[in-house]
Amino acid sequence: MSNIYLGYNFTVTSKDQSNSEKTKQLGSEILIAELGERPFESFIETETGFIAYIQKELWTEDILNDIYLLDSPEFSISYTIEEIDQVNWNEEWEKNFEPIDVDCKCHVRAPFHPKTNAQYDIVIEPKMSFGTGHHETTHMMIQHLLELNVTNLKTLDMGCGTAILAILAEMKGAKPIDAIDIDNWCYLNSIENAERNNCHEITVYEGDADLLKGMKYDLIITNINRNILLNDMQQYVDCLNPNGILLLSGFYTEDIPFIDASCTEKGLTFVKKLERNNWVSLKYVN
């Protein structure tokens, strides 16, 4: 296989100027999801959008045909293409992936970042570094976990991504832990990161909320977008043991009424809200 790549540099602009930044980010995420169904294998965030990389040997002239978002009336999307000889992925990751330092207690970093004196040091390989907003939601979820005594709590990390939260939960004594993600890359990367951090209580599954039938947990962590949370909320509640804890994030301040209504009507009690740059994380108990 050739080492020559094509880099598609996408610029994503929202046509809704009243909500441009948040809508632009959502547009980038949707476009990445669509491109992920094609042979594109890595995505790097930029100030105006992102770069999608594909091996030249896998490229075809119709590679962008039937990409819905390219014709969406909500977004203006343009791109340029550059041929790149032997991409140095580590260099790209190092330029774009920022470590997460939470209250000097937890440090989430890539292998190329220096180790700190944080109590919990998590090392992940960010093979698809995208979405600074996700760093903000992860930051808040880590804050919730740092405040909790999770010793021996059976835990679910739903939409685990790189398994950061599952790894921290194990470091704090939670067990056993199930980590689930629908994306194959996230599934494989979570397995790698659990091994990288010497975790032995985490089992990673590829799939969605259908995997939760018949399962019970003391702690459920789910950092996904609003629509998925609302769609799957009943399954989360059904899986929660009495006095169980539900930690939610992945949505904005204006989404709180919808999330809260869904939780309270299903019998959950609101406990705490964290907010960071208009992103929100909520804690409920059963």
Side-chain angles (χ1 to χ4, degrees):
M1 189 67 75
S2 169
N3 285 324
I4 298 177
Y5 281 79
L6 298 178
Y8 278 71
N9 193 336
F10 287 95
T11 297
V12 181
T13 304
S14 169
K15 294 180 180 178
D16 179 4
Q17 295 303 315
S18 64
N19 197 22
S20 58
E21 285 305 314
K22 289 183 290 185
T23 308
K24 182 182 75 172
Q25 181 174 350
L26 176 61
S28 293
E29 292 174 353
I30 294 172
L31 182 54
I32 281 178
E34 288 196 88
L35 294 175
E37 299 295 324
R38 312 293 167 94
F40 290 91
E41 63 183 60
S42 272
F43 305 91
I44 301 295
E45 184 183 15
T46 66
E47 290 185 0
T48 57
F50 63 92
I51 304 173
Y53 293 97
I54 183 172
Q55 293 187 40
K56 188 174 182 180
E57 288 188 2
L58 300 178
W59 178 87
T60 59
E61 289 187 2
D62 62 352
I63 194 71
L64 296 184
N65 283 6
D66 301 320
I67 297 292
Y68 167 78
L69 208 75
L70 294 180
D71 297 318
S72 169
E74 298 179 56
F75 300 95
S76 175
I77 299 174
S78 61
Y79 62 88
T80 58
I81 307 174
E82 180 183 8
E83 185 172 300
I84 305 163
D85 187 13
Q86 196 165 354
V87 176
N88 184 337
W89 295 118
N90 282 337
E91 181 180 342
E92 293 298 320
W93 295 329
E94 188 164 359
K95 288 189 298 185
N96 291 278
F97 180 80
E98 294 295 329
I100 303 167
D101 194 349
V102 183
D103 302 333
C104 298
K105 295 179 181 178
C106 180
H107 194 214
V108 182
R109 62 185 177 90
F112 47 74
H113 293 134
K115 189 179 186 304
T116 68
N117 293 323
Q119 183 177 359
Y120 303 103
D121 182 58
I122 301 174
V123 181
I124 67 166
E125 189 73 66
K127 290 188 175 179
M128 285 186 185
S129 173
F130 180 78
T132 56
H134 292 294
H135 293 182
E136 291 163 330
T137 59
T138 303
H139 188 285
M140 291 183 290
M141 293 293 263
I142 289 173
Q143 284 183 305
H144 278 306
L145 286 173
L146 290 174
E147 293 176 354
L148 287 172
N149 178 3
V150 301
T151 302
N152 295 322
L153 294 189
K154 186 175 182 181
T155 298
L156 168 67
D157 182 0
M158 191 71 196
C160 58
T162 55
I164 291 172
L165 300 174
I167 292 167
L168 176 59
E170 175 165 336
M171 288 180 172
K172 293 203 69 197
K175 63 179 180 180
I177 301 166
D178 291 338
I180 299 176
D181 205 291
I182 196 170
D183 183 88
N184 179 256
W185 173 85
C186 292
Y187 162 73
L188 296 174
N189 192 230
S190 292
I191 293 174
E192 294 174 1
N193 288 327
E195 293 175 350
R196 182 173 288 109
N197 289 273
N198 300 311
C199 293
H200 304 289
E201 299 292 341
I202 298 173
T203 303
V204 184
Y205 299 93
E206 182 177 357
D208 57 18
D210 288 340
L211 295 177
L212 301 180
K213 293 177 181 177
M215 303 301 292
K216 287 292 183 180
Y217 299 97
D218 303 305
L219 171 64
I220 296 178
I221 307 162
T222 178
N223 186 7
I224 315 179
N225 67 59
R226 185 190 86 170
N227 291 338
I228 294 178
L229 289 175
L230 292 174
N231 184 69
D232 295 342
M233 192 69 73
Q234 187 63 59
Q235 283 138 301
Y236 303 150
V237 174
D238 290 343
C239 290
L240 205 56
N241 283 327
N243 301 313
I245 299 167
L246 177 63
L247 301 179
L248 302 167
S249 196
F251 50 92
Y252 298 108
T253 304
E254 52 265 36
D255 297 322
I256 292 176
F258 304 99
I259 299 293
D260 185 65
S262 180
C263 290
T264 54
E265 72 182 12
K266 294 174 178 60
L268 300 182
T269 301
F270 171 75
V271 177
K272 187 171 184 176
K273 177 184 78 171
L274 297 177
E275 186 171 353
R276 189 176 176 87
N277 296 328
N278 203 42
W279 291 91
V280 176
S281 180
L282 302 178
K283 176 183 176 182
Y284 289 85
V285 296
N286 196 9

